[in-house]
Amino acid sequence: MPGITRNGVRIDDSFAEAFPMRGTALLITGPNRKWARQAAVTMTGFATSVIGCGVEAGIDGEVDPRDTPDGRPGVRVLIFAMSSNELQNQLTNRVGQCVLTSPGSACFADLTASDEMKLGDLLRYFGDGWQISKKFGGRHFWRIPVMDGEFLCEATVGLTKGAVGGGNLLICGADYESTLRAAEAAVEQMEKVKGAIMPFPGGIVRSGSKVGSRYKVLHASTNDAFCPTLRGQVATALDDDLGCVLEIVIDGLTEAAVADAMRVGLAAIVKLGPKKGARRVSAGNYGGKLGPFHFHLKELAP
């Protein structure tokens, strides 16, 4: 596929096709950095893809105690779903099972939006009648008794219907080591973009998928056009000098956040160059039929 070249890295004249999602942001605090992060990691587990997990979630960054409502170490978490109902169900279950249970935790809303979902308003029932409603500074909280003291939880959280899911980069290299090196360099920079997450393990997915399958029970299956081992057996999208492909998928609270993450990721790959990293970068799309958000690589390239 024709495109442009930057620092020896070929960038396809292609675009990542993304789609609308529902999203929210939470701020989880703990007695120290370790436990704040542990609650966040547990809550965002098994949340790589809506295809099999129902939601996509990840850590947006750590928050200094000076910037949290209770003056303790915090971690900002983003969670995305295809519908408001699914997001509400997953939010309640994940906070209830993973944050409420974590020693010393508290949970606050961290997104201002015109729409809202219930959080503490539902979890309060765990208090079995001993829960206490508290309003402070124009915000509503619930204090729920637990065995190490109280779980403080905001009553509601903001809901954005303008979230975007499915931004992506297909990173193509000569071998596994160089391709992974390029992907890791990209993720390191992309993690600095506020409001965007890369939900797969370490931000990277090796099992990129296409829509549909020869098996009716599956909605998605392996992206055979980018599988090096299938070259010669399928209509491959890979050049002869490419032996490995890794993908980065991006979700954002806004379209701009996804674009910014892709932009800095591309810049990191280009900076590394083809000798140490990727030889080519492409993107996954379905001809513009899947989603209304199109992130063109040539427009995002450094």
Side-chain angles (χ1 to χ4, degrees), residues 34-97:
K34 170 189 172 180
W35 282 107
R37 190 166 185 86
Q38 182 62 68
V41 168
T42 305
M43 181 194 162
T44 56
F46 189 61
T48 56
S49 172
V50 292
I51 295 174
C53 307
V55 294
E56 299 177 8
I59 291 173
D60 193 28
E62 296 188 359
V63 181
D64 190 274
R66 291 171 295 183
D67 299 320
T68 65
D70 59 2
R72 304 189 305 163
V75 177
R76 190 179 198 232
V77 167
L78 307 185
I79 180 170
F80 301 88
M82 298 303 294
S83 72
S84 299
N85 287 339
E86 180 68 16
L87 186 58
Q88 175 70 82
N89 292 336
Q90 291 272 354
L91 178 71
T92 305
N93 290 338
R94 287 172 181 269
V95 175
Q97 295 299 313

Side-chain angles (χ1 to χ4, degrees), residues 181-201:
R181 190 179 299 118
E184 288 177 332
V187 168
E188 182 179 358
Q189 297 304 312
M190 296 165 84
E191 286 180 337
K192 298 176 182 179
V193 177
K194 186 174 182 180
I197 60 166
M198 287 62 68
F200 283 94

Side-chain angles (χ1 to χ4, degrees), residues 37-237:
R37 190 166 185 86
Q38 182 62 68
V41 168
T42 305
M43 181 194 162
T44 56
F46 189 61
T48 56
S49 172
V50 292
I51 295 174
C53 307
V55 294
E56 299 177 8
I59 291 173
D60 193 28
E62 296 188 359
V63 181
D64 190 274
R66 291 171 295 183
D67 299 320
T68 65
D70 59 2
R72 304 189 305 163
V75 177
R76 190 179 198 232
V77 167
L78 307 185
I79 180 170
F80 301 88
M82 298 303 294
S83 72
S84 299
N85 287 339
E86 180 68 16
L87 186 58
Q88 175 70 82
N89 292 336
Q90 291 272 354
L91 178 71
T92 305
N93 290 338
R94 287 172 181 269
V95 175
Q97 295 299 313
C98 306
V99 184
L100 169 64
T101 58
S102 184
S105 67
C107 190
F108 304 96
D110 204 44
L111 176 69
T112 301
S114 56
D115 295 299
E116 292 185 335
M117 293 182 294
K118 295 180 178 180
L119 186 57
D121 280 349
L122 295 176
L123 296 177
R124 66 188 174 99
Y125 295 110
F126 181 76
D128 200 28
W130 300 104
Q131 64 270 19
I132 299 173
S133 175
K134 180 73 173 180
K135 292 186 177 180
F136 182 78
R139 299 169 71 169
H140 184 197
F141 305 92
W142 285 97
R143 296 165 56 190
I144 302 170
V146 287
M147 294 190 298
D148 70 349
E150 291 183 332
F151 174 57
L152 180 64
C153 185
E154 196 130 7
T156 60
V157 296
L159 163 68
T160 176
K161 297 179 180 179
V164 176
N168 66 84
L169 296 173
L170 290 169
I171 304 167
C172 312
D175 51 42
Y176 172 79
E177 289 78 12
S178 59
T179 310
L180 180 60
R181 190 179 299 118
E184 288 177 332
V187 168
E188 182 179 358
Q189 297 304 312
M190 296 165 84
E191 286 180 337
K192 298 176 182 179
V193 177
K194 186 174 182 180
I197 60 166
M198 287 62 68
F200 283 94
I204 302 167
V205 53
R206 68 173 183 171
S207 56
S209 61
K210 65 178 184 295
V211 173
S213 167
R214 67 177 65 186
Y215 303 106
K216 294 182 179 180
V217 295
L218 293 180
H219 298 295
S221 58
T222 190
N223 191 352
D224 47 38
F226 282 90
C227 290
T229 56
L230 297 181
R231 188 164 33 208
Q233 303 178 66
V234 299
T236 186

